Structures are given as structure tokens and as C-alpha cells.
Amino acid sequence: MAAFTLTINGRKRRVDADPEMPLLWVLRDLLHMTGTKYGCGAGVCGACTVHENNVAVRSCQIAVSQAAGKRYTTIEGLADAGDHPCQRAWIEEDVAQCGYCQPGMIMTAAALIRDKSDPTDADIDTALSDSVCRCGTYQRMRRAIHRAAREGKRT
Amino acid sequence: MRVSRRAFLNAGAAAGAGLIVGFRMPGVAQAADAAPAAFRPNAYIEIAPDDTITLWVTRSEMGQGVRTTLPVLLAEELEVDPGRVRLEQAMPGARFKGIRLRTSGSGSSSGTFRALRLAGATAREMLIAAAAQVWQVDRSSCRAALGSVIHTPSGRTLGYGRLAGAAARQTPPSDPPLKDARNFRLIGTRVKRTDGPAIVRGGAVYGIDVRVPGMLVAVMERCPYLGGKVAGFDASKALATPGVRHVVPIKSGISTGVAVAADNTWAALKGRESLLVTWDPGPNRDFDSERFIRTMEEAFSKDGYPIRRDGDAEGAMGSAATTLEAVYEYPFQAHAPLETMNCTADMRKESCEVWAPTQTPETAFNDIIKTYGLPPEAVQVHTTLLGGGFGRRLFVDYVHEAVELSKAIGKPVQLLWTRPDDMRHGFFHPASVDRLRAGLSADGTALAWLHKAVGSDLSMFGLPSEEEKKDLQRYAKDGSPWGAYDNPYGFPAMKVDYVPVDSPVPTGAWRAVEYPSRVFARESFIDEIARAGGKDPLRLRIDLLRPGNILELGDQRIDRGRMIKVLEIARDKTGWATPLSSTKDRLRGRGVAVNSYFGESYVAEVAEVSVARDLGDLRVHRVACVVDCGVAINLAGLEGQIESGITWGLSAALHGKIDFRDGRALQESYTDFEVMRMDESPAIETHVVPSQAPPSGFGEHSVPPVAPAVANAVFAATGRRVRRLPITPARLRA
């Protein structure tokens, strides 16, 4: 066990943890931030996606010891009022079904439109196809990402 | 699930001076008729003096949108904004005793349609009567709108909350008027998901998100062998792992093993890694799914159960100018919901509290009472949101494990399945094989259809007894050959036999239960008959369903007219008459399939595919779906479920299978049990047939036609028939 100071959603958080503990479990079990989901533990489903210095990463693949000194954003901190263009577009397009994968999907999409303000379908395929939605909401997500990009530019 | 024509209403004063209207489901109608004193409603609305309207939700939310649909049904008749309805999740026991809370059979909307509307209408009528009394006016001069009663001549209004006390003293109407469909303001529109805002902010609470003070987190090393068990284990290294508190053998689930309970998930996982367990592989260590498929094929030579006989099919085969025969194969499939199985349990000496993402909280409740001898009032089962259900969460094996563990360690604990646990230890969709034969006359007219369906009875609720199998209608419906025995087509002669073959693999309801495998075989073979007879496959289906009459099979009534209708719309909406043209690089084609689920909803699908000329790559570009499921309550939800089912079906058609070797399931994650992802996901369009028929299910119904529609499209494109799922490039080339 060792002490680590992490920056999460703009706040410094101190945790005592096994240095190997993945950020996913630090968030969920130590900080009780459960918006970030466990899906596979192997980086293949995307449910645990967060931003590391504004880049989408898999929190199940990052040891807490590597996380110190970097800035992380989780679904809870994506926008203060929960009104990031992706979050608004997701509601507008009525994307979610069971909803379990959606925080990870939104974090992935938010990183995409930050990089590319007007993503093409091919960009969306590239960014989102490492993530799994077992309910199959893919086409609604695609529409939501295009909508978020449009509205993000407007604001 | 069927909706009875009757719903039983009961209304009276609530303890809190509010108005409570309870209603009950048809399934327990007889008990109510016999003993009205024991009448207990299965769900309630409550209108409190502060204007709060509460609805107790009697189904699990697993993505099908029940927390959106049920408030719509209530609000339509109660005349309130559905967004104002506060939701409480119903819990088994107490006032919900004996009442169905199970979520299955695509029955969330259809099973509550009439009952919830009646509850809303009853409350509305009592509120109107109360207002008329307060104002001393004729009640016919009053109406309800947006949470208030309005005296039309004077324009006076009173909110429901202020009327609640007076309304509770009104006599409940025995037959409250339901709105005419023309006056619906909510039913048939698009209503957004209730939980959408919580979901997109990460605030929606699934089973895995439950946090109970003082709880530990556990994972379990599971015996990898089907039916194997723990021979021995050494816990010393695991217990030496920082954060690990307990190591306990667990026997109550479908796979026995050893649980490691720790302060957090990571510690539990680390502890599990250092656990030393030796296994007794048990009696199935040689089980091999490839060999099992061969065993099932050998069973084609057996007679089996004669589940359908129309005319003399064998005789007709003798006089046929051409005969066709084909064998289809469907592998074992996993559910693989994104939220793995988990349950949080707090088992104490004299009470038990459980939080579970379950489709069947009453099973958990009853099982705990029975297993531990607790009184019902000491057991609480909370249903959380479900990160996918798909039939897997009809089983409470993971609840049993968590309760057993909590009891053993004397603390609340969350038992979490890892992804490989979830992939390898489930109630799988059974593997099956189907042999189809047909006889055609010289002009290509179909004369006879012979279907021998081989597979395993679902083991989920125990295998049927020999006595039960004697009732063939019931066995066909409870057992494996859905889609085979209720074949909707009107062949001059038909013979369907079912041969059960036991397997040690736990099997259970998958999305659309048994239909996906048999409908794949049936709808592919119809295509083969069409091709052999030089007929258009969509046209042949319509011809075989003429004159569009009702086919009665036991308690099923298949309306062939509705089936023809969905096919005709599919034909017209997809440009079916004009074949897709291939390009320099890719072959293109369209395929169609159709199905009815217990005669309740009708779905036709047309898939458009392209295949690389070297057959090295297959893509599904578009799936058009036509659905007739009676009154559509929430179009947005209906379309979502259709899209979801099609994507589910495509995952199985193109990728999914679970293999067993040496008695163990091989696949462990989404890397080797692949599912559809964004880049493969086709355009999906849904056409809803306008209908005034009672609403029927749609959560599973778009699954079965997908695989045969794709296989038929692949044939149209390439001239190659793939009869084994999944349809992979390797199988296309074979």
C-alpha cells in the first residue's frame, strides 16, 4: 500500500492503494465514483473509459501508480451541470437502452469531438469500434455524435 | 405474456390520506375470484396531498424502457404529465405478495397495458367525482387535464394533490371508461427515456454500483468443468494478500468454487490469483461441443416426438418430382450482458437484504425464504437497474452465491463475476441441429415439409418429466422446437418431429429463447425451396400464407393475414422487385425472413449484404424491419428494441458461439466471443404497422429473422448457402 495523489475532475484526491490497483477500482471502490463501469477488465469493451489529459483511455488498464500527476476526467466531471454537448445529444437522440456502456461511450465520443470538431462516419467508426454496446444503440450514438459536434460548434 | 380482458381493481383510502389505486394482473385472477378477502394488488399509484404521484414499477428495467412505458400508460388515463410520475421499484413480498414482478416473454408493455390504464382511469374518475362534490356541481361538467380537475363552465381548477383526501372517500367506479385510441395524447407518440439524464451523467445505479456500509467485495474462482467441483484448496497465500479478509467455498450457484472477499475489488482479484484450488472435473470432462453437434446429427435417425402432423407428408414426398434436404446447425450462445452478474447481500441471523440486477426478484425472495427458513417479512430484495438482461437474469444463481457468502462471513458483501466468469458460466442458448426435407411438384409447387428438430430441453427450470412430454402441445411450447412446431406456412402436408438430446451444458432463455435457431433453419429452407422451384422467396412466403387465415395451434393463433401484411410492406419499402447490382469488387444481395412469436407479434426483415468477390469479407449494410405488435405505446422505445434485437441477432449470425472442449467453455471475453460494434453496425429502419390490436411484445421479436435474412442475402449475392452459424468468411469459402 502506498499513498497517491490524483487529479480527478479538477480536484486533488489522495488515496492509499496497492500501486498496481487499476484506476477503475480506485474510482469505484475507493472514491465511490461509480459512473465509470467495469465491463471486461481487459481493455476490450470501453465501459471504463475516462479522459487522461483530455485523451480517452481505459481506466482498467492504468495502474494508480502511473496515474499520479496526470489529470483525469470521469463521466461525473465531464461537464459541471451534466450538459456536455454529448450528454445533451445523447438525451436528444434517446440513445441509451440499458445504459450501462453509455458513460464509457460518451467519454469516448467527447474525446473524439474535442479532437475533430466535425467527425466523419469513418472517424466515428474508428473511435467507437473498440467499445461494446450489447443493446446495439450504435446508430443512435452515431446520430448523437454528429448532433453533439454541430451543437458544440454553435456554443 | 397475454393480457387478460379483465383487470381487477381495488381502491381505497391510503394511510397517508392520499389516494391509492391498486390493480392486479390476470395471472392470479382465480385466487381473487375465490377469495376477495385475500385480494392484494401488484402495483399501486399513490397521489399524495403534496401533488406527488408515485407509481410502483412491477418490472425490471433492463433497457426495454419499462420505466418510461409504464408511466405513459398511467399518465395517459390519469391525465398527468408522465414526467411528473415518481417511480418506485416494487419489491417482492408484503403487498406485492404473489404478484408477478418477473420480466420475461417481452411482456413489460403488453402485460400491463390494460391494467395500468384502468388504474389511471379509476383514479381520474374518483378525482373528478371529488372535485364535483367540493364544488357542488354536476360531475359531467368537470374534466381532468394535466394533473387538475377543471370545472368547464366556470374554469375553476383543483389540483390532484388537494383532491387526494376527498377522492379517497369516493366509491371506486366498477367500470371506468378508458380513452378512445383517437384521443391518446401519449400512447403512440415518442417519449424519451425516463432514465436518460441519470444514465448520461453516470448517476444511474446498477447492481454493481450498490454500496452498503461495511460491505466487502468478493470474486470467486469457479470450477471450469461443467458439473465439476472443488476437490481442495489452499487459502494461505490468498489470505496473505493485503486487503483480503475471507476465503470461503461456495456451492449454491451453477458453478461451485471458492470466493475471496476483500476490502475492494482489486484486492479480491489479487487474492483470487494466489488461491490454489484443485478441481474434481466430475462426469463431463470429455464434453466437446463439436462432438455434441455430431451426436445430435446422429439423432436424426430417431423418431422423437411427433409434435405436428398435417396430412401425409411422407406420402407426399413419394409423389414429389423433386425432393430437397438440408441440415442446419446453431451453436451454443452466451448472453454476455455488459454488466456482469453480481449481487450484494447482507445476510444476518434473522434477516436478509439483497440488492440485485435481476429479472426475477420474486424468485430470489422465495428462494431465500425457503433456503434459510426466514419469514417473508425478514427478507428484502431490491431490484436495481440491469446492465442488460436478455434472459440471463431470469436466473438467480448469483443471488444464491452472494447470500451464501454473506452468511458465511457475517458481513454484507458484493459478489462480482469477472468477464471470463460471466462468459463461461451461464445458462447458454442451447446448440441445435435441424434437418429439413421438402417435396416439390414438377412446376416447383411445394407439396410437403418435413422438419426434424434436435436439441436440448432448457435446463433452466428443470427438465420436463416423461409425463409432461406426453402432452405434445405443451411440450412443444415449453420445450425446444419453437419456430418448428408453430411453422406458419400452409404446406399441403407437414410433419414436424422433435428429438431431445441431453447435454451437460446449463441452458436457458436467451433473447427470443428458442426461436433464433429454429427460425434460422426454417426461413433458410423456405429460401432453398423457392430457389429450387424458381420462385421469388418473398412471393413464395406470401403464397404459402394465403388465404391469410388464422392458424390455430394449441393456444396459439397465428394470423397469417398480419404475416402477409408485414411481408408486403417489407417488399414495398425495400425495393425488393429490383435486385441489388454487384460491383467490380463486391457481390450484393438481399434476403428476407419472417416470424411470429407465439402468434402475438409479426416481424419481417430484409437484409442487404455485400460480399467481397474473393469471399474474404461479408458486410451487412442495411436491415429493414416491419413489425406489427398491435398498438405501439412508445414509438421511440419500440424502434429502439427493434434495432437492439437486430444488432443482437447479427452478433450471433456473424460472430457468436461458445465452444466447449474437455468439459470447459473456451471463450472468455468480447475478443473471442465477438459482438457487433459500431463499424459493422448496419443502417436499420423500422416500419411499424398501424394497428388497433392489443399491444403484444417486441423486445425479442426482431432477433429470430435476422440470421436467416442475412444467410438468404448471402445466397442471393454469392450463390453459396451457409447452413451453420456463425456465417464466417471461412464457412462461405468452404
Side-chain angles (χ1 to χ4, degrees):
Chain A
M1 298 286 272
F4 299 95
T5 302
L6 309 175
T7 305
I8 295 170
N9 299 333
R11 280 179 63 196
K12 293 246 186 286
R13 306 294 297 258
R14 210 188 113 96
V15 294
D16 284 307
D18 177 324
E20 289 178 44
M21 184 188 285
L23 178 62
L24 169 67
W25 301 118
V26 172
L27 292 170
R28 291 185 54 83
D29 290 351
L30 305 187
L31 300 174
H32 301 293
M33 297 170 70
T34 55
T36 304
K37 303 301 186 200
Y38 166 77
C40 70
V44 300
C45 79
C48 69
T49 301
V50 298
H51 294 176
E52 178 185 276
N53 301 341
N54 296 322
V55 176
V57 294
R58 304 285 157 98
S59 64
C60 75
Q61 299 298 301
I62 297 168
V64 62
S65 58
Q66 305 169 304
K70 295 174 181 146
R71 288 180 298 116
Y72 291 93
T73 306
T74 71
I75 188 71
E76 291 93 341
L78 182 60
D80 287 344
D83 60 352
H84 183 275
C86 283
Q87 290 170 313
R88 292 204 313 265
W90 243 251
I91 292 171
E92 225 24 66
E93 295 291 343
D94 209 20
V95 172
Q97 292 195 16
C98 90
Y100 190 81
C101 72
Q102 302 288 336
M105 293 289 188
I106 289 169
M107 295 307 284
T108 307
L112 169 65
I113 64 169
R114 190 190 171 89
D115 281 354
K116 300 193 173 180
S117 61
D118 193 10
T120 63
D121 280 342
D123 293 331
I124 293 171
D125 284 346
T126 304
L128 273 287
S129 292
D130 290 333
S131 299
V132 171
C133 170
R134 191 66 166 132
C135 299
T137 62
Y138 296 113
Q139 295 309 333
R140 290 187 187 207
M141 284 195 271
R142 187 185 297 283
R143 288 201 296 273
I145 293 168
H146 285 308
R147 176 191 283 266
R150 281 197 308 273
E151 313 220 328
K153 271 193 286 192
R154 212 170 288 154
T155 51
Chain B
M1 284 299 119
R2 286 171 195 287
V3 189
S4 154
R5 306 279 169 233
R6 299 177 297 172
F8 295 80
L9 282 139
N10 180 29
L19 170 70
I20 285 190
V21 176
F23 60 92
R24 45 166 299 146
M25 265 341 171
V28 284
Q30 283 177 339
D33 289 343
F39 183 96
R40 289 173 206 280
N42 80 326
Y44 298 92
I45 55 173
E46 181 177 312
I47 299 171
D50 68 356
D51 261 341
T52 309
I53 298 169
T54 305
L55 164 67
W56 273 263
V57 176
T58 52
R59 293 291 188 278
S60 303
E61 179 60 81
M62 52 191 197
Q64 87 281 36
V66 67
R67 286 166 56 85
T68 308
T69 310
L70 268 49
V72 162
L73 295 175
L74 177 73
E76 179 71 69
E77 297 288 348
L78 185 57
E79 300 294 0
V80 293
D81 172 0
R84 268 196 50 205
V85 177
R86 200 174 68 87
L87 302 178
E88 289 272 351
Q89 192 69 34
M91 290 173 68
R95 65 177 184 233
F96 295 101
K97 185 179 175 189
I99 300 305
R100 175 183 165 144
L101 304 179
R102 191 177 74 250
T103 307
S104 67
S106 296
S108 295
S109 313
S110 57
T112 54
F113 181 69
R114 187 168 169 82
L116 265 171
R117 289 178 60 204
L118 274 172
T122 300
R124 179 194 69 217
E125 293 302 308
M126 293 169 80
L127 288 157
I128 290 174
Q133 202 171 53
V134 170
W135 290 324
Q136 294 292 301
V137 299
D138 191 86
R139 57 161 297 152
S140 65
S141 64
C142 303
R143 63 192 161 89
L146 288 174
S148 294
V149 179
I150 302 161
H151 180 233
T152 308
S154 68
R156 280 178 292 180
T157 67
L158 270 173
Y160 285 176
R162 290 186 58 196
L163 287 168
R169 291 190 294 274
Q170 305 298 315
T171 307
S174 56
D175 192 14
L178 294 181
K179 282 168 107 171
D180 189 277
R182 281 171 305 192
N183 299 327
F184 286 159
R185 69 200 156 86
L186 298 168
I187 292 173
T189 64
R190 294 172 187 279
V191 182
K192 289 188 169 53
R193 287 291 302 279
T194 308
D195 295 314
I199 287 169
V200 303
R201 289 165 195 161
V205 176
Y206 301 85
I208 194 175
D209 301 325
V210 169
R211 296 290 180 269
V212 176
M215 85 176 194
L216 299 181
V217 181
V219 294
M220 193 170 139
E221 183 75 4
R222 294 169 186 279
C223 180
Y225 300 97
L226 292 163
K229 58 180 197 272
V230 176
F233 66 96
D234 176 354
S236 53
K237 280 189 183 152
L239 283 167
T241 306
V244 170
R245 303 292 167 196
H246 307 271
V247 174
V248 180
I250 295 292
K251 298 188 179 106
S252 57
I254 46 169
S255 47
T256 62
V258 181
V260 178
D263 294 340
N264 56 64
T265 315
W266 178 245
L269 289 165
K270 292 275 280 186
R272 187 175 79 161
E273 266 175 36
S274 48
L275 194 60
L276 299 171
V277 188
T278 52
W279 306 111
D280 169 359
N284 306 309
R285 68 179 310 167
D286 295 328
F287 182 75
D288 180 296
S289 48
E290 273 299 312
R291 212 165 49 231
F292 180 64
I293 296 279
R294 305 287 89 79
T295 304
M296 288 196 292
E297 285 174 346
E298 286 159 18
F300 286 139
S301 63
K302 294 183 182 168
D303 285 339
Y305 292 83
I307 57 173
R308 176 110 175 246
R309 292 288 184 270
D310 301 349
D312 177 12
E314 295 286 2
M317 288 296 277
S319 58
T322 316
T323 60
L324 299 179
E325 177 173 331
V327 170
Y328 297 87
E329 178 188 315
Y330 203 92
F332 289 103
Q333 296 278 7
H335 299 82
L338 208 60
E339 182 194 18
T340 57
M341 297 306 110
N342 67 85
C343 176
T344 306
D346 186 3
M347 180 75 180
R348 307 196 174 204
K349 259 203 187 69
E350 287 166 357
S351 69
C352 181
E353 192 165 8
V354 158
W355 296 260
T358 173
Q359 290 176 245
T360 175
E362 64 266 64
T363 307
F365 178 78
N366 293 331
D367 284 5
I368 291 166
I369 290 168
K370 199 171 142 194
T371 307
Y372 298 98
L374 290 171
E377 58 273 17
V379 178
Q380 285 180 281
V381 177
H382 305 268
T383 304
T384 64
L385 294 178
L386 283 59
F390 314 121
R392 173 62 181 92
R393 289 186 156 104
L394 283 171
F395 311 100
V396 294
D397 50 304
Y398 53 97
V399 176
H400 283 275
E401 291 175 347
V403 173
E404 181 186 359
L405 178 59
S406 175
K407 183 179 166 74
I409 66 179
K411 294 188 184 87
V413 63
Q414 180 174 95
L415 180 61
L416 175 69
W417 293 39
T418 63
R419 175 57 53 193
D421 291 344
D422 201 86
M423 206 61 90
R424 292 172 171 162
H425 303 274
F427 290 84
F428 299 90
H429 182 297
S432 59
V433 295
D434 293 89
R435 188 184 69 189
L436 280 299
R437 295 160 63 209
L440 309 184
S441 66
D443 68 353
T445 305
L447 302 173
W449 171 280
L450 297 92
H451 187 165
K452 189 161 272 187
V454 180
S456 308
D457 291 322
L458 300 183
S459 70
M460 53 183 183
F461 304 129
L463 295 174
S465 68
E466 287 308 314
E467 194 60 31
E468 285 167 330
K469 290 181 184 179
K470 283 178 188 162
D471 180 348
L472 289 177
Q473 280 289 353
R474 188 181 149 191
Y475 185 36
K477 194 165 174 178
D478 289 353
S480 174
W482 297 11
Y485 85 99
D486 52 353
N487 183 325
Y489 298 110
F491 288 93
M494 187 183 292
K495 178 177 189 233
V496 182
D497 296 277
Y498 170 55
V499 188
V501 176
D502 289 342
S503 96
V505 178
T507 51
W510 197 66
R511 196 168 187 173
V513 196
E514 297 281 11
Y515 277 115
S517 50
R518 308 299 181 193
V519 171
F520 168 61
R522 187 189 79 208
E523 293 296 307
S524 294
F525 196 58
I526 288 280
D527 213 72
E528 298 205 43
I529 291 172
R531 304 285 174 185
K535 296 185 189 309
D536 176 84
L538 196 152
R539 175 68 192 272
L540 175 68
R541 285 175 168 81
I542 291 175
D543 288 345
L544 285 168
L545 293 165
R546 293 212 194 278
N549 56 334
I550 304 281
L551 169 66
E552 295 206 36
L553 289 169
D555 62 355
Q556 277 195 52
R557 297 177 81 253
I558 298 173
D559 187 336
R560 287 168 165 159
R562 291 172 79 180
M563 208 157 198
I564 289 173
K565 186 84 185 164
V566 292
L567 283 165
E568 287 174 342
I569 296 173
R571 178 193 63 201
D572 298 343
K573 295 285 185 187
T574 57
W576 178 265
T578 314
L580 292 171
S581 46
S582 295
T583 64
K584 184 164 62 72
D585 302 321
R586 299 185 75 83
L587 302 162
R588 297 167 72 212
R590 266 194 212 100
V592 66
V594 67
N595 192 47
S596 137
Y597 190 122
F598 288 170
E600 288 176 352
S601 294
Y602 300 83
V603 174
E605 287 170 23
V606 171
E608 294 182 5
V609 308
S610 75
V611 181
R613 287 200 178 261
D614 68 356
L615 307 180
D617 171 67
L618 158 66
R619 283 195 66 97
V620 180
H621 298 278
R622 176 189 180 202
V623 180
C625 176
V626 184
V627 55
D628 173 358
C629 57
V631 172
I633 297 166
N634 177 8
L635 280 171
L638 166 56
E639 288 165 0
Q641 285 302 293
I642 296 296
E643 292 158 16
S644 176
I646 286 170
T647 309
W648 179 275
L650 286 171
S651 290
L654 303 178
H655 301 296
K657 81 180 161 91
I658 295 289
D659 298 303
F660 293 88
R661 297 274 179 283
D662 304 321
R664 311 160 62 127
L666 295 188
Q667 283 75 9
E668 64 169 7
S669 192
Y670 296 114
T671 43
D672 48 7
F673 183 84
E674 289 183 48
V675 297
M676 294 294 284
R677 300 197 183 217
M678 178 68 88
D679 55 353
E680 280 191 312
S681 168
I684 296 172
E685 58 189 60
T686 305
H687 304 279
V688 179
V689 180
S691 172
Q692 297 305 319
S696 46
F698 50 84
E700 304 169 275
H701 301 56
S702 66
V703 176
V706 182
V710 169
N712 294 340
V714 166
F715 182 86
T718 65
R720 287 174 180 257
R721 178 65 60 184
V722 180
R723 300 189 182 90
R724 300 167 70 196
L725 292 188
I727 305 167
T728 58
R731 286 175 175 175
L732 256 176
R733 286 171 155 160

